[in-house]
Amino acid sequence: MYSSNTLIGNDSFLPSQYWLDDTGSHINAHGGGVLYHSGRYYWFGEHKGERSNAALIGVTCYSSEDLYNWKNEGIALPVVENDEDSPIVKGCTIERPKVIYNEKTKKFVMYFHLELKGKGYAAAHVGIATSDNVIGPYQFLKSGRVNLGVWPLNMSSEQQTETAKVIDFEKWWTPEWRKAVDNGLFVRRDFSEGQMSRDMTLYVDDDGKAYHIYSSEENLTLQIAELTDDYLGYTGKYIRVEPGGHNEAPSIFKKDGKYFMITSGCTGWAPNAARLLTADNIWGPWRLHANPCVGEDADLTFHSQSTYILPVVGKKDAFIYMGDRWTPTKPIDGRYIWLPVLFENGMPKLKWMDKWNLEIFDQILPDNTFPKEISGWNLIWNDEFNYNGQPDPRVWTHEIGFVRNQELQWYQADNAVCQNGVLNIYGKKERVKNPNFVAGSDNWQKNREYAEYTSSSIQTAGNKEFLYGRFEIRAKIPTAGGAWPAIWTLGNCMEWPSNGEIDIMEYYRINEIPHILANAAWGTNKRYHANWDSSVTPFSHFTDKDPLWTYKFHIWRMDWDEDAIRLYLDDELLNEILLSDTKNGSLGNYKNPFMQPHFILLNLAIGGVNGGTPDNNAFPLIYQIDYVRVYQKR
């Protein structure tokens, strides 16, 4: 993939492989971050030597238009050669440089973790440099500790005035010591000279406010500090995150108004399991979650440590995890682990890929393009859900309560929300009182005093009904235990099943094994007893071909005419139902229910006769529908 003499030809990421720049050398930008400016990406990182992690050269800069191919732009911030009094003299430690652009001052501002030459990791300083040009040279301005003489916003007055000191504890990691750390033991120790700042990143929010996120308090606690408007200092407003949690290597991003931070434990140069923190506000509270990595070597973050989360320009909600695979015996040989940030039930996930490219974001993100033209077909109705709030009430109505199949959820309108170009149907674990409860009733819809889950089911009955056509629904389905998402239609005349049911998609477990189903049902001579034509495909049929299947949107399609119903998933034919075989029995007057108009239903059931036992750890479930499109032949 990598060419040693050209910027043209790289079209994929190969995590852990050598990544050559335009000169044919392995990119030397470790612990880095990326700035997008004026149509190009700029990657800043640590220049490492053959045998030393010390700063012998400085901070490097590379540029790219496509993220695959990088031009070596040289040394953005050189170390000082002949002044031993300079904090950035050759031989000091410069780690995790990040650059942000200040729209007001038109300055590029670089922050980095700085350790003084010959002092080990005792200084725990932040260094700041600026430049008028994105690639430099950057001029070193100052360095030091952070927020001296200022208390964190989330440290109480009682914690500020506690008398416990570090020297009072002969042993660390005891319960008493942990409690003291949580109560600000090291904040008080460092109050007058400033808070320690080691592994770090920068983040500029939507409003232009910038923040310095860094590992502090002997790497025991993360701190988030607000920068001044010129990005060259601190406002004095800062908080502690996960006191005593021993987090480092913070990387942060924002999606749908929520902040996500991926961090690492502290195990020296050895890899460990990543951590995930979330908050609805930059000032917290921050909540700790399980390791976002999944699959083989997830407990080692694929032998990497986070350095930055890179937003992909031009693709909404597309983010790349940037990690380094450290090689302390030969630092210059460190490899880069870049992986797409996937989302499952609204939470980020990282999964190993030997090779990938940016096209994956087109598969995991909504399709915001205009509906495609199909030769021989007219688009007669569509809903792209490109609006905010509940689904269009002129088209969609809501089922309410306990409805069918002894399912566990209470259907309610609040769980269907359109946002960012998709319809989100949320399955939530929450208790709702059943207003129809009758103690001792033998009716399952009435003998439950409470529902323990909620969800939504919407339909177009009476508003949009169709006889024949091509139906396309692009959706991303939840696959956790208990999830039963569906796309289906019902005929507008007669009682079920004589009205006819078409299951364009159902997902549920059969004998605890997940399956995708594509079915049709029609009436018999017995009330509520159906004839079925069912296609049952093990879910593994799809995931074996694409391990990332569950993270992506897929297109379910029905082609329905006077002769047959054909059901597809991503253009793979799953079932063909011939209408010559689908006549009702006597209760349906021997009519064919698939020769009458049908309306569309979208729902997420939980449990019930087919959903199985809910995996409560997976809630809330999110069923996302990107669009519904109906075509008819010209």
Side-chain angles (χ1 to χ4, degrees), residues 197-417:
S197 172
R198 288 182 177 151
D199 279 10
M200 58 137 286
T201 192
L202 296 177
Y203 176 70
V204 180
D205 212 337
D206 303 331
D207 59 1
K209 280 287 185 184
Y211 301 88
H212 179 206
I213 300 107
Y214 51 94
S215 186
S216 191
E217 303 174 37
E218 300 291 354
N219 285 13
L220 292 164
T221 304
L222 293 170
Q223 294 184 0
I224 300 178
E226 184 182 71
L227 302 184
T228 53
D229 287 345
D230 60 8
Y231 301 168
L232 301 181
Y234 299 88
T235 65
K237 189 176 181 181
Y238 75 107
I239 61 167
R240 307 170 73 217
V241 177
E242 274 297 294
H246 223 200
N247 285 282
E248 62 180 13
S251 55
I252 187 171
F253 67 103
K254 185 179 183 181
K255 178 181 180 293
D256 297 337
K258 177 175 283 190
Y259 298 86
F260 299 88
M261 183 156 50
I262 296 175
T263 72
S264 161
C266 299
T267 50
W269 295 104
N272 56 63
R275 290 95 176 269
L276 174 66
L277 293 149
T278 64
D280 294 325
N281 189 296
I282 192 76
W283 299 119
W286 286 83
R287 179 185 173 195
L288 181 65
H289 303 268
N291 182 1
C293 302
V294 294
E296 187 177 355
D297 286 335
D299 58 338
L300 298 175
T301 316
F302 315 116
H303 300 275
S304 76
Q305 187 182 47
S306 53
T307 65
Y308 193 70
I309 302 296
L310 167 60
V312 180
V313 176
K315 295 182 182 293
K316 180 176 172 54
D317 296 335
F319 304 95
I320 296 174
Y321 163 87
M322 291 173 54
D324 272 58
R325 184 172 288 181
W326 305 113
T327 53
T329 58
K330 190 178 181 182
I332 197 174
D333 190 47
R335 311 295 176 84
Y336 306 104
I337 309 300
W338 286 27
L339 296 170
V341 178
L342 309 170
F343 288 89
E344 184 177 302
N345 293 332
M347 298 296 282
K349 298 291 182 182
L350 300 176
K351 190 175 179 65
W352 179 258
M353 300 182 198
D354 290 325
K355 180 179 180 180
W356 67 281
N357 60 40
L358 297 176
E359 291 179 3
I360 191 172
F361 294 113
D362 298 326
Q363 299 167 322
I364 67 174
L365 295 174
D367 178 2
N368 295 319
T369 61
F370 289 106
K372 62 185 178 182
E373 292 188 7
I374 303 175
S375 178
W377 298 83
N378 289 325
L379 179 69
I380 63 167
W381 174 76
N382 62 304
D383 196 338
E384 306 293 314
F385 304 110
N386 291 330
Y387 48 88
N388 293 328
Q390 289 195 339
D392 186 350
R394 298 168 298 178
V395 175
W396 302 99
T397 58
H398 295 265
E399 295 188 287
I400 302 295
F402 292 126
V403 177
R404 63 182 72 86
N405 298 325
Q406 300 186 43
E407 295 158 1
L408 301 179
Q409 80 289 335
W410 181 268
Y411 281 136
Q412 58 187 22
D414 289 348
N415 291 47
V417 180

